[in-house]
Amino acid sequence: MGYIERTLAPGETVRFRARLHWILWLRAWAALIVLGVLIVGIVIFVRDLIFMTTTEVAITNRRLIKKTGWISRQASELELSSVEAVNLDQSVVGRLLDYGRVQIHGTGDDVWASPLIATPLRFRRELEGALSTLQPAPTPASQADAATPPSRAG
């Protein structure tokens, strides 16, 4: 069971789980092959390997979750109700190989940024689907209106 499953609130479900793009593996192996003669290549390879195997990114029905790290963990979460803007960053090569980064701007100064993920357009589409199913939180006035039965004209 991963970090995301362990942190789900009661009634919260995972709508979409992003995966890192394979180009990150290519970068790690290239560092090992090209710089492997030096210790630097091995260090870069191990660092990238740890990043790729410990990173989790998901959209639930309530929030965005990103967790990285193995011994030292960094988790970033953003409530879907506070999402204001979604930006996609994809280079030409990223469009050809279908990878990119997604930045979500929340209320205030909150910015949630994904790592390099595969199928970023699908991620954005799934996020927009999750946002469209959000129920607005009831305001005190609407709760009072719901408790009072409608009057009958007569």
Side-chain angles (χ1 to χ4, degrees):
M1 181 182 333
Y3 172 83
I4 291 171
E5 286 78 16
R6 288 192 311 268
T7 62
L8 292 178
E12 187 174 18
T13 58
V14 175
R15 289 183 53 103
F16 182 73
R17 181 179 289 274
R19 59 186 173 78
L20 299 178
H21 195 267
W22 58 264
I23 202 144
L24 293 173
W25 284 101
L26 182 67
R27 185 176 71 184
W29 280 103
L32 182 64
I33 293 168
V34 173
L35 300 172
V37 178
L38 307 171
I39 298 297
V40 174
I42 296 170
V43 170
I44 292 171
F45 179 78
V46 170
R47 183 200 65 194
D48 287 351
L49 183 67
I50 290 170
F51 175 79
M52 290 181 285
T53 57
T54 63
T55 298
E56 298 179 57
V57 179
I59 302 169
T60 73
N61 58 336
R62 296 183 186 168
R63 60 193 166 138
L64 291 161
I65 304 171
K66 174 182 69 175
K67 185 276 276 183
T68 59
W70 175 39
I71 296 171
S72 172
R73 177 185 305 161
Q74 297 82 37
S76 175
E77 300 176 6
L78 182 66
E79 293 289 327
L80 293 181
S81 59
S82 68
V83 171
E84 290 186 345
V86 180
N87 296 329
L88 176 65
D89 181 21
Q90 232 181 349
S91 65
V92 173
V93 176
R95 288 190 65 195
L96 292 172
L97 299 177
D98 198 21
Y99 68 83
R101 290 180 180 12
V102 179
Q103 277 192 346
I104 293 96
H105 298 271
T107 54
D109 291 336
D110 283 346
V111 176
W112 185 95
S114 76
L116 197 63
I117 59 172
T119 63
L121 288 173
R122 180 171 178 213
F123 184 87
R124 186 177 70 185
R125 193 170 43 249
E126 292 289 338
L127 174 61
E128 290 168 351
L131 291 171
S132 70
T133 61
L134 277 181
Q135 297 294 326
T139 61
S142 66
Q143 288 175 344
D145 292 340
T148 323
S151 61
R152 291 189 178 172

